């Protein structure tokens, strides 16, 4: 069973950059501005994130208060105002701390400060003495051990072979048909199972006008996916930063790990990104006629870089409406840094972007985890939608991660202790058993029952891969259908709508196996229209 969480390479990357943090105590002392996980002896540099005091949301409950206060405002207005305010706060706070940071840099106590605004703060490498000085500054609220720190790299141009491949993808994108030929398409059962074709036929909801950021492994260059791509209107493939955003050739998105505009698949075994992209917005195949996308008129912004806050800032500045996330951390103590990412995703929600992904595959088998630990960051964040799995006949999927989730002993965000847990997952979809865009099966995957149903140009349609990473894109697609008929619905309103219109599964009401139940695209779209 494919994990659908992190590829082995990505998982190793996260582990090796964690600074062995799991071995440190991470309980927070009342009033402390320092993450106790930071080793403060010796002279070695530590990766830290310095969170400033002036945040839009400073603590648990602030996001919910904002949602109630701003529910009567259209999403576009909230987006504009929140984005501007986040950036203004970051600029103001930096002016207060810049002198100290510059001084510490000159003294060799701090290296490579990098500013952020999705959470007002900056990341850097710092020696223990400098960390203490930063924590004592009046403009600083907390200093985290940056468990997801990566080495800083300069943006780089595409290699000759990458440039050739991306220009070929661009040519394929240019050939996309003007109209969607969905009436003659073959519709897989998973779309029928959540009433997607009915939303197309009866409500004319196809995801039109909606941009989805897909944080994943990239895509294979098959026309069904190429035709779904979002394009940065100010960029071309020329080895230059045309739009002045500091990134080179981010025409279809950006790879924040390798610092390049190459967003095609690099794995040779399974194209996780192609599968997820295809479920969200795959266009009809010209050859086999299969239509895999829930929202086949939505556009896909391709992003690589899990847990990189720059990716969240990028997709917000480039007007993404939704973000599909195929990454999650379980089985590791993350301590207070969970709160840093909750802060970021709550700010993203206020600015109009709904974040979604699979709930995980840790309920059974050799990787099974205890209840309360099966759904990890970022799917354990209240405003993020975690999608569980069920079978075609609505039976239990043994591996599908169950809730609840706990938030305790996390600086600023300890509002869901074990006596009052957060109910997760949120909704349910289908994790396996339908056509997916990926590589042709090999000897190993054929032995596991994978079969190719159509060999296409640049990829294959395969039945067999599985995991809740593939449940998640169903939720993203349905949310895109909702926004295509009511684009001014706020992110938190779309989340609530998906839950309210879901078909109950399992025990009556919301539960820790299925959440609110199976997604219902037709009901969700119809309710969205009534709310206009």
């Amino acid at each position: 069973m494919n994990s659908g969480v992190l590829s082995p390479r990505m998982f190793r990357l996260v582990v090796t950059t964690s600074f062995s943090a799991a071995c440190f105590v991470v309980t927070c002392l009342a009033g402390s501005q320092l993450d106790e996980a930071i080793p403060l002896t010796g002279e070695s540099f530590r990766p830290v994130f310095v969170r400033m005091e002036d945040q839009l949301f400073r603590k648990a409950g602030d996001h919910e208060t904002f949602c109630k206060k701003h529910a009567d405002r259209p999403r576009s207005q909230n987006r504009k105002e929140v984005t501007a305010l986040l950036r203004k706060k970051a600029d103001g706070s930096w002016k207060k701390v810049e002198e100290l940071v510059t001084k510490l840099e000159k003294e060799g106590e701090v290296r490579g400060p990098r500013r952020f605004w999705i959470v007002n703060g900056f990341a850097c490498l710092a020696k223990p003495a400098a960390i203490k000085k930063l924590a004592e500054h009046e403009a600083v609220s907390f200093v985290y051990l940056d468990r997801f720190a990566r080495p800083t790299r300069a943006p780089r141009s595409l290699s000759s072979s990458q440039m050739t491949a991306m220009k070929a993808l661009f040519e394929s994108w240019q050939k996309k048909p003007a109209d969607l030929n969905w009436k003659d398409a073959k519709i897989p059962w998973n779309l029928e199972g959540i009433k997607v074709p009915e939303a197309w036929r009866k409500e004319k909801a196809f995801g039109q006008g909606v941009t989805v950021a897909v944080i994943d492994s990239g895509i294979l260059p098959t026309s069904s996916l190429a035709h779904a791509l979002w394009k940065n209107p100010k960029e071309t493939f020329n080895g230059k930063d045309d739009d002045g955003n500091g990134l080179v050739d981010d025409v279809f998105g950006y790879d924040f790990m390798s610092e390049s505009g190459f967003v095609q698949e690099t794995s040779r075994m399974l194209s996780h990104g192609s599968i997820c992209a295809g479920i969200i917005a795959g266009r009809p195949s010209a050859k086999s006629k299969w239509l895999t996308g829930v929202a086949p008129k939505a556009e896909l912004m391709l992003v690589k870089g899990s847990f990189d806050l720059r990716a969240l800032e990028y997709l917000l500045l480039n007007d993404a409406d939704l973000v599909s996330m195929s990454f999650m951390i379980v089985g590791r103590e993350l301590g207070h840094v969970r709160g840093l990412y909750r802060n970021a995703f709550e700010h993203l929600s206020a600015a109009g972007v709904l974040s979604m992904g699979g709930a995980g595959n840790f309920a059974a088998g050799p990787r099974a985890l205890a209840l309360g630990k099966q759904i990890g960051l970022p799917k354990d964040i209240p405003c993020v939608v975690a999608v569980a799995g069920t079978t075609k006949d609505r039976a239990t999927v043994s591996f599908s991660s169950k809730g609840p989730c706990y938030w305790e002993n996390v600086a600023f965000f300890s509002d869901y202790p074990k006596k009052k847990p957060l109910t997760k997952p949120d909704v349910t979809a289908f994790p396996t058993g339908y056509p997916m865009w990926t590589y042709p099966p090999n000897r190993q995957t054929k032995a596991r029952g994978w079969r190719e149903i159509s060999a296409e140009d640049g990829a294959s349609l395969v039945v067999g891969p599985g995991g809740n990473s593939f449940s998640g894109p169903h939720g993203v697609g349905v949310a895109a259908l909702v926004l295509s008929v009511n684009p001014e619905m706020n992110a938190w309103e779309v989340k609530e709508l998906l839950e309210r219109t879901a078909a109950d599964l399992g025990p009556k009401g919301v539960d820790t196996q299925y959440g609110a139940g199976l997604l219902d695209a037709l009901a969700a779209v119809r309710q969205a229209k009534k709310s206009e």
Side-chain angles (χ1 to χ4, degrees):
M1 179 65 64
N2 174 51
S3 69
V5 181
L6 285 175
S7 69
R9 181 178 71 84
M10 292 172 70
F11 184 76
R12 286 196 299 272
L13 176 64
V14 171
V15 170
T16 55
T17 58
S18 70
F19 204 77
S20 301
C23 66
F24 297 106
V25 178
V26 292
T27 55
C28 182
L29 298 176
S32 174
Q33 291 176 279
L34 271 172
D35 189 336
E36 289 80 12
I38 304 173
L40 294 175
T41 58
E43 289 295 313
S44 297
F45 283 94
R46 321 296 190 196
V48 295
F49 187 99
V50 181
R51 178 188 189 255
M52 308 308 290
E53 179 67 32
D54 188 15
Q55 304 290 335
L56 176 61
F57 303 146
R58 189 181 183 278
K59 63 185 186 305
D62 288 352
H63 173 259
E64 289 77 7
T65 299
F66 175 93
C67 294
K68 292 178 181 178
K69 184 177 179 180
H70 293 79
D72 60 340
R73 296 187 183 182
R75 186 168 64 101
S76 59
Q77 181 182 350
N78 283 330
R79 182 186 198 112
K80 181 179 179 180
E81 293 178 358
V82 167
T83 303
L85 184 57
L86 290 173
R87 302 183 80 176
K88 181 180 179 180
K89 286 179 176 291
D91 288 341
S93 294
W94 180 250
K95 290 178 181 179
K96 295 179 181 179
V97 78
E98 184 176 14
E99 182 178 350
L100 174 60
V101 175
T102 301
K103 179 176 179 292
L104 292 173
E105 275 193 284
K106 290 180 179 179
E107 294 173 350
E109 296 288 310
V110 165
R111 290 179 182 171
R114 175 178 286 179
R115 294 176 54 194
F116 294 91
W117 52 264
I118 193 68
V119 177
N120 181 7
F122 62 95
C124 66
L125 294 174
K127 292 183 177 181
I131 293 171
K132 293 175 184 177
K133 290 178 182 178
L134 290 169
E136 292 169 356
H137 195 283
E138 63 180 4
V140 172
S141 63
F142 200 78
V143 181
Y144 297 91
L145 177 67
D146 191 349
R147 298 168 186 264
F148 301 110
R150 293 189 177 103
T152 301
R153 298 178 180 178
R156 60 187 181 89
S157 299
L158 300 174
S159 67
S160 177
S161 60
Q162 288 176 331
M163 182 64 80
T164 298
M166 291 306 293
K167 285 185 175 180
L169 184 64
F170 179 71
E171 290 178 4
S172 179
W173 175 84
Q174 289 181 305
K175 296 176 182 177
K176 60 183 180 295
D179 297 316
L180 178 70
N181 184 23
W182 63 276
K183 293 183 179 179
D184 297 329
K186 297 178 183 177
I187 309 300
W189 67 263
N190 58 308
L191 302 194
E192 297 278 5
I194 56 173
K195 301 181 182 178
V196 168
E198 293 179 62
W200 297 342
R201 289 191 293 265
K202 297 178 180 180
E203 303 299 334
K204 303 297 185 269
F206 297 95
Q208 59 272 24
V210 179
T211 299
V212 180
V214 183
I215 304 180
D216 213 308
S217 65
I219 64 162
L220 295 171
T222 190
S223 59
S224 292
L225 301 181
H227 294 169
L229 293 179
W230 161 89
K231 182 187 176 297
N232 184 342
K234 299 179 181 179
E235 280 284 333
T236 58
F237 288 112
N238 56 12
K240 300 178 182 179
D241 176 17
D242 297 310
D243 59 2
N245 66 355
L247 309 177
V248 177
D249 290 335
D250 58 317
V251 177
F252 294 131
Y254 197 71
D255 181 351
F256 288 94
M257 294 187 292
S258 67
E259 294 293 350
S260 82
F262 189 75
V263 290
Q264 293 192 38
E265 181 64 74
T266 55
S267 167
R268 297 302 176 200
M269 295 294 292
L270 176 84
S271 181
H272 196 285
S274 294
I275 293 174
C276 292
I279 295 169
I280 297 168
R283 289 354 188 207
S285 163
K287 177 181 178 182
S288 65
K289 307 301 182 183
W290 281 106
L291 172 51
T292 64
V294 174
K297 285 190 177 181
E299 295 185 343
L300 303 175
M301 178 190 300
L302 304 181
V303 180
K304 298 184 183 182
S306 57
F307 295 104
D308 193 323
L309 295 178
R310 294 177 301 156
L312 302 187
E313 294 178 348
Y314 178 85
L315 65 89
L316 179 53
L317 289 179
N318 285 284
D319 296 325
D321 303 294
L322 302 161
V323 55
S324 173
M325 305 179 296
S326 292
F327 57 93
M328 187 170 80
I329 294 294
V330 294
R332 288 178 50 210
E333 177 57 66
L334 296 179
H336 300 303
V337 81
R338 290 176 66 203
L340 172 64
Y341 284 89
R342 178 167 166 182
N343 217 164
F345 280 99
E346 288 185 346
H347 285 164
L348 198 65
S349 169
V353 181
L354 178 60
S355 306
M356 311 179 72
N361 312 310
F362 301 100
R367 299 181 304 158
L369 297 172
L371 290 178
K373 297 184 178 181
Q374 295 178 15
I375 302 175
L377 194 73
K379 316 301 173 54
D380 60 354
I381 296 173
C383 68
V384 174
V385 178
V387 187
T390 188
T391 66
K392 183 178 181 179
D393 59 1
R394 315 305 191 259
T396 299
V397 175
S398 62
F399 61 79
S400 184
S401 287
K402 302 180 181 68
C405 295
Y406 307 122
W407 285 84
E408 55 186 354
N409 296 324
V410 178
F412 310 104
F413 296 98
S414 294
D415 51 338
Y416 291 100
K418 290 186 178 179
K419 63 181 180 181
K420 185 186 175 183
L422 173 65
T423 301
K424 287 276 181 176
D426 300 289
V427 289
T428 297
F430 305 114
T432 189
Y434 42 85
M436 301 175 175
W437 289 107
T438 186
Y439 290 106
N442 56 29
R443 182 186 304 177
Q444 181 182 4
T445 54
K446 284 181 179 178
R448 293 163 59 186
W450 295 19
R451 58 187 177 87
E452 182 180 66
I453 63 171
S454 182
E456 310 264 339
D457 182 22
S460 291
L461 280 168
V462 176
V463 175
N468 271 332
S469 272
F470 312 139
S471 298
H474 289 76
V476 178
V478 174
L481 298 182
V482 166
L483 289 175
S484 70
V485 299
N486 190 345
E488 292 293 10
M489 284 193 77
N490 288 296
W492 63 88
E493 294 171 326
V494 177
K495 179 180 184 293
E496 189 277 332
L497 177 64
L498 297 183
E499 295 166 355
R500 177 161 44 87
T501 56
D504 192 23
L505 295 175
K508 187 175 181 179
V510 177
D511 60 75
T512 57
Q513 172 80 51
Y514 302 107
L518 185 66
L519 290 161
D520 187 325
L522 180 62
V525 168
R526 283 181 168 170
Q527 285 295 315
K529 279 190 169 182
K530 291 179 180 179
S531 301
E532 280 186 287

